[in-house]
Amino acid sequence: MSTEHTPQILEELDLLPLWVRRELLAQADEAATAGASAPPAAITEIIASRPDPAPTIAPRSLSSAAAVIAPPGKPDAAVEEDTAKALDHRARATRIAQLDWATLQTEVSGCTACGLCKSRSKTVFGVGNPQADWLVVGEAPGAEEDRQGEPFVGQAGKLLDSMLTSIDRSRSENVYILNTLKCRPPQNRNPEPDELALCAPFLHRQIELIQPKLIFAVGRFAVQTILGREATISSLRGKLHDYRGIPVVVSYHPAYLLRNLPDKAKAWQDLVLATQTLGDKG
């Protein structure tokens, strides 16, 4: 901003006088008290321009005053970058929320939103009946899922199939199965928060299109994404939760059950709760 226009701008904002030296004001007060001869012109102007006590600045002037006092230059580059990313992510989520089933599959298969696209073999969209009333949501693809492009096809998948068979359910008929992440994290590491956030719009749109009557969420990261909060599986299981009006039953991931066989009995209790809940809704 040009300095030659600064006084006029400050005057229009009722901010003058601004940054007056204390000694000049003191000299002006002493001269007035002692009845001395006229003070220098500069001090006379200061006295004449001093505002009445407690001046009121109109609300509309506050933002303008901030603009005058604020240091010049753009905001921090990192802040600008974060803001731009947030806007891009919001626009992307809004666009995904309007896709039909076939277009959503195409979008997932070509997704490059996060770094997992560089190490994956195949994306894992889901498997089963898209009109099923029962939806199983897992965490992330493993090595075999990444190779075949289908969720729950390893040892954990075989256990899940056995669990579903025990309640007369099947991935080929009356269940749809999908993962929270559509790409495998390298070495089966835990998903990163940004990976979960970028993949979440796909999950939400799948659920909206399937319109299940019940969601059976298995594993910590699936539960966190569905419920939108962090908590242990043990503290959440055994009770009903809600996802946009859809009842959610929380249970252990089959891969966990393979390592902790005694908890299979608890998983069976969760299946019973889910079955009873769906029966009540039906």
Side-chain angles (χ1 to χ4, degrees):
M1 178 178 65
S2 174
T3 56
E4 66 183 45
H5 298 302
T6 300
Q8 291 89 335
I9 295 174
L10 296 178
E11 183 176 2
E12 291 177 2
L13 297 175
D14 295 326
L15 295 177
L16 285 175
L18 194 63
W19 300 308
V20 179
R21 293 172 56 186
R22 292 177 181 270
E23 57 267 28
L24 291 179
L25 289 175
Q27 293 176 28
D29 289 336
E30 290 175 3
T33 302
S37 57
I43 298 179
T44 301
E45 293 179 3
I46 292 172
I47 296 173
S49 62
R50 289 170 72 176
D52 294 332
T56 300
I57 300 177
R60 64 176 181 82
S61 301
L62 295 178
S63 59
S64 302
V68 172
I69 299 173
K74 295 181 179 180
D76 184 83
V79 175
E80 287 189 341
E81 183 178 356
D82 289 344
T83 301
K85 285 183 179 179
L87 292 174
D88 288 344
H89 294 168
R90 182 178 300 178
R92 173 176 173 270
T94 300
R95 179 175 54 80
I96 291 173
Q98 301 174 17
L99 300 179
D100 60 27
W101 189 259
T103 309
L104 186 63
Q105 285 183 297
T106 302
E107 185 86 10
V108 168
S109 65
C111 179
T112 58
C114 74
L116 294 181
C117 66
K118 300 177 182 178
S119 58
R120 73 185 179 214
S121 297
K122 292 182 179 180
T123 56
V124 181
F125 186 78
V127 65
N129 181 1
Q131 283 77 47
D133 55 5
W134 184 302
L135 175 65
V136 176
V137 180
E139 296 185 308
E144 194 62 24
E145 286 85 355
D146 177 67
R147 187 178 70 82
Q148 297 189 34
E150 183 175 325
F152 288 95
V153 294
Q155 291 301 313
K158 293 179 180 179
L159 176 55
L160 177 62
D161 287 340
S162 297
M163 293 168 62
L164 294 174
T165 299
S166 69
I167 55 172
D168 296 323
R169 297 230 163 228
S170 167
R171 70 171 68 199
S172 62
E173 296 180 6
N174 51 10
V175 174
Y176 194 84
I177 303 172
L178 54 80
N179 281 322
T180 305
L181 281 188
K182 308 308 178 189
C183 299
R184 178 199 180 201
Q187 288 77 52
N188 290 348
R189 63 162 172 77
N190 288 337
E192 297 290 342
D194 63 323
E195 295 166 352
L196 289 169
L198 288 169
C199 226
F202 292 139
L203 171 66
H204 297 315
R205 185 54 176 164
Q206 283 180 298
I207 297 176
E208 186 174 5
L209 290 171
I210 296 170
Q211 296 183 347
K213 293 183 179 179
L214 181 133
I215 297 175
F216 192 69
V218 294
R220 177 163 61 98
F221 296 106
V223 172
Q224 287 178 6
T225 304
I226 291 292
L227 300 184
R229 59 192 176 98
E230 293 188 13
T232 62
I233 298 297
S234 59
S235 68
L236 295 172
R237 57 168 302 277
K239 63 192 77 170
L240 287 179
H241 303 276
D242 179 86
Y243 171 87
R244 302 181 183 180
I246 304 172
V248 178
V249 174
V250 171
S251 190
Y252 298 106
H253 195 282
Y256 167 86
L257 295 175
L258 290 174
R259 303 188 302 269
N260 300 271
L261 297 181
D263 283 334
K264 282 187 175 182
K266 297 179 181 178
W268 169 250
Q269 295 171 359
D270 300 330
L271 287 172
V272 172
L273 174 60
T275 302
Q276 293 174 342
T277 301
L278 192 59
D280 293 340
K281 284 184 70 66

